[in-house]
Amino acid sequence: MQRKMETPEAKERYKIRSKTVERPFAHLKQNMHLTEFRTTGLQEVNTEFKLYTIRHNLKRIYNEISRKNN
């Protein structure tokens, strides 16, 4: 895996991934303190995670609207 990650294609792909995928997860973990779920069971955890992502997206939309209005 290490050799595979050292290829130019993998480095370019990882750059894109770090901006699109890992940033929201890092935000959820660090800023929203989502280090463990409060519910048990796959369906309940899935619902809880969706609520966190909705909160994250609503905050991004609010910030974007606020930025455009100012």
Side-chain angles (χ1 to χ4, degrees), residues 35-49:
T35 55
E36 57 186 51
F37 293 100
R38 298 168 200 244
T39 57
T40 57
L42 187 58
Q43 187 172 3
E44 290 84 6
V45 169
N46 193 16
T47 301
E48 184 179 351
F49 184 73

Side-chain angles (χ1 to χ4, degrees), residues 10-53:
K11 287 180 182 181
E12 190 63 34
R13 188 172 185 177
Y14 193 75
K15 276 186 199 176
I16 295 169
R17 179 181 173 198
S18 68
K19 293 176 185 171
T20 59
V21 176
E22 293 183 12
R23 219 178 228 172
F25 285 113
H27 173 74
L28 289 171
K29 286 178 75 175
Q30 183 70 28
N31 300 334
M32 298 173 81
H33 308 291
L34 180 60
T35 55
E36 57 186 51
F37 293 100
R38 298 168 200 244
T39 57
T40 57
L42 187 58
Q43 187 172 3
E44 290 84 6
V45 169
N46 193 16
T47 301
E48 184 179 351
F49 184 73
K50 286 178 183 178
L51 288 172
Y52 273 106
T53 57

Side-chain angles (χ1 to χ4, degrees), residues 1-7 10 14 17:
M1 188 62 167
Q2 186 174 0
R3 277 186 275 134
K4 183 179 179 182
M5 289 302 295
E6 291 174 354
T7 64
Y14 193 75
R17 179 181 173 198

